[in-house]
Amino acid sequence: MNTTEKQTNYEIAGHVGRLLREAFGKGPESIFVSINRPFVVIYLRSFLSPTERILLKQDQIFSIQNTRDLVMKSLIPEIKAYLLLLAGMQIREFYYDWGLHNHSGVMVGIETDDDSLQAGLQERYTGKEELHKEIDTISFQVQKRPEELHSCMINERTLLVIRNGILISIEKELIRIGHEESLKLAKRNLEKNHLHNNSHFTDILKSQVIDVFVDWDFHLDKSVIAFILNPSR
């Protein structure tokens, strides 16, 4: 990474940290920005406000997630604007998720450039085929096998998996009648249990998995999974 790229990442991290601090009263202790166009991944560590800490002790996880979802709706346009200003990235899709047990979080932006998207997804890395099989199996256990499954190693610590065509008929109907938020909370809970309690990922990727995040864009019938890795294993 050259000096200009480092400076851009530093400025993005600074702006995102300030936005979160203003919105939640406390920002993350550290923010790591990774850009591998058309993807940008923003990984947050030690991010939990004093109020959320109390709620977490009382097992009020859904309350925290609901509140954060409401706040993020207002923050996402600002984050997209900063990414355009600082990195020249026209973000079309934006995903986020929280690892409340680790006090961590991730934001993933995807640009509008379809050519670079396809190029990024063709990349090879250790364990790619095996990982796709494992994700396919988990998807089938939770809902159905994805119609398309792609992945990209952003850097040695960040892996993205993209699934298209994952919603079943009852889920589409729940979205149509206005139960999108409830569906997302339920899917997040169910699918993350499968992702977190899977011992195969570390062996497949030859790397310790520190965090796993997942989010959906129901209107695109699409999901993004982000693995945060420790390659020194």
Side-chain angles (χ1 to χ4, degrees), residues 37-49:
R37 300 184 79 152
F39 304 107
V40 56
V41 180
I42 302 169
Y43 176 48
L44 318 171
R45 291 179 65 181
S46 298
F47 179 45
L48 197 71
S49 73

Side-chain angles (χ1 to χ4, degrees), residues 97-202:
D97 187 27
W98 317 108
L100 294 176
H101 60 296
N102 282 343
H103 304 177
S104 58
V106 81
M107 302 176 191
V108 177
I110 304 177
E111 278 187 292
T112 54
D113 187 348
D114 287 328
D115 290 338
S116 60
L117 175 60
Q118 290 307 314
L121 295 175
Q122 300 310 313
E123 178 198 14
R124 315 304 304 165
Y125 60 84
T126 301
K128 184 169 187 173
E129 288 76 15
E130 291 86 350
L131 179 75
H132 282 202
K133 286 178 186 173
E134 195 66 27
I135 295 292
D136 194 69
T137 300
I138 290 171
S139 301
F140 178 68
Q141 289 170 343
V142 175
Q143 60 245 326
K144 73 180 184 78
R145 298 188 196 280
E147 291 166 19
E148 293 180 9
L149 183 59
H150 308 286
S151 61
C152 176
M153 192 72 78
I154 304 299
N155 54 40
E156 65 174 3
R157 292 182 176 273
T158 314
L159 170 64
L160 291 186
V161 177
I162 297 172
R163 296 173 296 168
N164 290 311
I166 53 169
L167 293 174
I168 59 176
S169 299
I170 188 72
E171 291 173 330
K172 290 177 181 177
E173 184 61 17
L174 283 167
I175 293 160
R176 191 188 69 78
I177 63 176
H179 292 290
E180 185 171 324
E181 295 305 319
S182 298
L183 178 62
K184 182 170 280 196
L185 285 170
K187 284 175 75 71
R188 195 184 271 160
N189 199 34
L190 184 61
E191 197 155 280
K192 285 182 80 169
N193 275 338
H194 282 78
L195 291 167
H196 281 294
N197 297 322
N198 188 304
S199 58
H200 299 147
F201 292 132
T202 295

